[in-house]
Amino acid sequence: MSTAHTPPTPPDRSDGLPPTWAKTACILCECNCGLEVLVEGRTLTKIRGDKDAPNSRGYTCEKPLRLDKYQNGPHRITSPMRRREDGSFEEISWTTALDEIAQQLQQVVHVYGGESVFFYGGGGQGNHLGGAYGRALFHAVGAKYMSNALAQEKTGEGWVDQQMYGSHTAGDFENAEVSVFVGKNPWQSHGVQRARPVLKDIARDPNRSMIVIDPRISETAAIADFHLQVRPGTDAWCVAALAATLVQEDLVDHEWLRQHTVGSDTVLAELGAINVTDFADRCGVPEATLRGAARRLGAAESVATYEDLGIQQAPNSTLVSYLQKMLWILTGSFATPGGVHIHSWMFPIAGRWHAVPPERRPRFNGARRALGLALMPQTASLLGRTVIAARRHRRAGVLIEWASQQAMSMFFRSVGPPIGQRIADTLSNASDDPKQATPVTGSRILSGLTPCNVIADEILTDHPQRLRALWIDASNPAHSLADSGKFVRAMRATELSVVIDVAMTETAHAAHYVLPASSQFEKHEASLFTLHFPHNTFQIRRPLMSPLPGTKSEPEIYAEVIDRLHVVDPTLLRSLTDAADIGMATFALTLFSSLERDTSLSGLLPYLLYRSLGTALGPDDQALALIWGLAALAVIAQPDAVSRAGFAGTGLAQANALFEALRDRHEGVVFTEDRYADAWKYIQHDDRKLHIRIPELLIELQALTTLPSTYTSEEFPFILSAGERRSFTANVIIRNPEWRRRDKHGALRISPGDARTLHLADGDHVRIVTETGSATTPIEISDMMQNGHISLPNGFGVSYPDKDGDTSVGVALNTLTTTTRRDHFSGSPWHKTVPARIEKLA
Ligand SMILES: Nc1nc2c(c(=O)[nH]1)N[C@H]1C(S)=C(S)[C@@H](COP(=O)(O)OP(=O)(O)OC[C@H]3O[C@@H](n4cnc5c(=O)[nH]c(N)nc54)[C@H](O)[C@@H]3O)O[C@H]1N2
Ligand SMILES: Nc1nc2c(c(=O)[nH]1)N[C@H]1C(S)=C(S)[C@@H](COP(=O)(O)OP(=O)(O)OC[C@H]3O[C@@H](n4cnc5c(=O)[nH]c(N)nc54)[C@H](O)[C@@H]3O)O[C@H]1N2
Ligand code: SF4
Ligand SMILES: [Mo]
């Protein structure tokens, strides 16, 4: 692979500013711990935890301390690039790139329809603002299909959540009497805020317990009270046996189930019929250990559970998601300290947006809503004209703002929920249709996302409805999705593929066009991982320095592409911009009424905000326009919880107060404050009950009795877990191998017993072979591993330009995996259960 791109000049100190400490956040995992960074020119010289950050309170792990390896280095790209026929790249100007891309997008849409353009990615662990703006392009071209990394891990769990209560949950591990981690190693992977002190507290406290289900003695399992060391891939039997023991030994909270759930009789009957002895045998956990753990659960005041990749990327994953939730449901651990809760959202990244009705609704709410919605279209036309005229008369502007304030206070809370619902559903690609499926393979679309494992199949076919163009932002699917080779072939088979990234990634190498993004420390960013309860937090990060010359931020890139598609009437943009100059109430009224007059504009909202309110906010703050929109949606969705977090007023006033706090408090903001019992209000079923009978999954539960529970063969006698989170892995956000202080080569872990059998010594190199490919790697003999189970870390095997050309350290895991081994329900890959063999190298 050759690239013509000239590496950027080494980090300069040209900004000329004195070194300053600034607040930002870690971008390496979903916890997004608050950071303080000493910025010298363009360099992040010192990094420490931010004690003021409301989510992490000063905590960090070891990973962000050398974040400069992300920010600076020869991996950064600084010019748009176009692929030549021979596969090499040439640098082109932004104007040429955007002109050609827009023109080719229009061409694809004209010939094959907007639904043939597929959007992938839109954010990593800390950058979701770009993807949010990208939704406007999705709608501008009339696209229908999209996906991201969630659709190779979390969509199965999301579907279960949706059936049972309609939203996402969080466990209160700081207070739980019993914490259960199912295929989750929070010591290394976090996911729980301040994971290590929280885990240590649990381990130290004789009155609290930890149950870990993991085939390895992970760092978390090592300090657990109960380690259920399953054979890889057999969690369905293990978790079913736990739930069955709760039922069969009558450790269930029957009264709670009667009051708060629907369908418990069937569930109890199914679990009652399970042969625990047989299931314990199938998963390899001693029956006494299983029963001991179940009794501990049954005796607890509170139970919180957390599932992750160990089961989400393994067989029967959707069923296991369902069963592990039974552990807190059967014990009645919901909406109570130490239990599991549905939380608020800034904007949902999984599941459907939902407005929680306020405790005190405005009087005549229904009538106001009807009247407001009826008046809106006329208001839009009227305001549009008046606002443009008022530009020349300041006094008229004051009057319009006053009138708009009256209208907003009269109608905002009544018309907000239906308008918010439409906007949110459009932006999150949510659909009421349970049968929503992809055009070629007919795969189930969950949470609006196409299963990652079928994307290539939706392209590599002569099906008339195949995907023709790929738009990829802030993701490296040619490295992170199963069977990388196949994904690259799929990219090459499209008529247009565009990649936006900070680096020349494996995916960028296969694209037609590559657009260089400003880094996450050179622009406004935010993470939408607002997954906390009872105090939910959100942080807007300000740029720490100017963009690297040659790069642009995603909001700007999307706006410039959409400009070229001419899908928005310029007079609308002008009236919105003028309205924003007059005042926030005038702007909000003009915006909402315009969206009500022409509902097809909903999907373009991020663009409309950027080009109107953003213009009024000025070039330094333009990207914050969408944050105002998010603040308004958050206030409509959970007004009381936002009030309790200290944002007074109602409606627009409250939204503005939240927006200003998000803009000004750089350490982040608690945007909702709930009481434990409030978790009930977030249930989306009208009866506010948990609907726990899921017929499709109960059939799968019955099938466990006969389903095979081994995945090895003579040819492939090992189970490889392809993607262990270790001390120095962070997906592939940091490409520079120098970042790692430990485990520099990403060794394959193997048990002492297996190493003996294969006559291997620590550090020996082996070839690992799977049905898809092979790779060589050093080994580490590790007591963590059980016989027959081997494990490779994620985040390795990416190219990095250095003085000797491109280097790559460690195994690119997805040269070893296949798209076909996947959950038949959610389509998530079995990365944790890859049959493999090991060949000793001479
Ligand atoms: N250090 C670090 N932290 C990260 C990341 C990172 O790259 N590096 N990535 C972030 C992301 S995107 C995610 S999704 C999370 C993932 O976080 P985790 O899911 O916690 O991470 P993993 O190490 O992939 O898997 C967890 C455990 O699953 C176990 N496992 C393997 N096979 C099985 C099985 O069959 N059954 C069970 N029960 N367990 C099994 C493994 O032994 C491992 O200990 O981590 C986040 N945090
Ligand atoms: N075999 C195997 N495969 C796996 C996993 C596994 O355990 N095993 N884990 C899976 C999981 S859980 C996940 S979450 C995925 C993660 O895989 P991906 O979704 O591909 O995400 P990242 O590896 O985090 O890649 C993020 C990309 O964003 C780029 N980037 C960084 N900052 C910016 C920015 O400001 N703007 C833009 N436009 N780009 C930026 C980075 O350079 C990088 O290329 O991998 C999955 N793949
Ligand atoms: S990697 Fe995760 S836990 Fe570690 S500092 Fe960053 S956000 Fe916090
Ligand atoms: Mo992930």
Side-chain angles (χ1 to χ4, degrees), residues 153 185 189 214 216 233 235 309 725-726 729 731 794 832:
E153 46 174 327
N185 181 16
S189 68
D214 198 311
R216 280 191 321 133
D235 295 79
L309 302 185
R725 269 64 184 163
R726 293 185 188 165
T729 71
N731 293 348
N794 73 318
K832 295 290 188 224

Side-chain angles (χ1 to χ4, degrees), residues 335-498:
T336 171
V340 169
H341 309 93
I342 305 177
H343 55 81
S344 64
W345 288 105
M346 198 64 204
F347 187 85
I349 52 167
R352 204 161 166 203
W353 187 87
H354 169 64
V356 179
E359 275 157 24
R360 286 205 329 212
R361 288 194 209 202
R363 290 208 297 164
F364 314 117
N365 196 40
R368 285 189 203 212
R369 175 170 300 172
L371 185 65
L373 291 176
L375 286 177
M376 286 237 165
Q378 283 90 323
T379 314
S381 318
L382 186 70
L383 263 176
R385 286 194 301 272
T386 331
V387 150
I388 291 177
R391 281 202 310 169
R392 269 166 276 134
H393 307 283
R394 207 187 60 81
R395 296 253 298 280
V398 174
L399 201 67
I400 294 172
E401 178 68 4
W402 178 84
S404 301
Q405 268 164 7
Q406 305 312 304
M408 285 315 271
S409 64
M410 182 91 158
F411 293 116
F412 186 95
R413 292 219 293 163
S414 314
V415 302
I419 296 182
Q421 190 75 55
R422 194 185 58 237
I423 294 172
D425 282 353
T426 308
L427 289 179
S428 53
N429 206 26
S431 161
D432 281 330
D433 175 10
K435 298 232 159 21
Q436 216 194 353
T438 61
V440 175
T441 62
S443 305
R444 219 189 265 253
I445 291 181
L446 301 176
S447 300
L449 304 175
T450 292
C452 292
N453 273 43
V454 309
I455 297 170
D457 295 323
E458 300 282 329
I459 299 170
L460 293 169
T461 161
D462 54 11
H463 193 289
Q465 281 172 281
R466 66 185 180 273
L467 302 172
R468 310 286 178 148
L470 268 176
W471 188 283
I472 300 170
D473 180 0
S475 189
N476 189 4
H479 180 269
S480 60
L481 296 194
D483 197 345
S484 314
K486 185 172 170 186
F487 193 85
V488 169
R489 282 199 303 284
M491 283 186 76
R492 296 240 152 103
T494 59
E495 316 218 338
L496 172 66
S497 57
V498 180

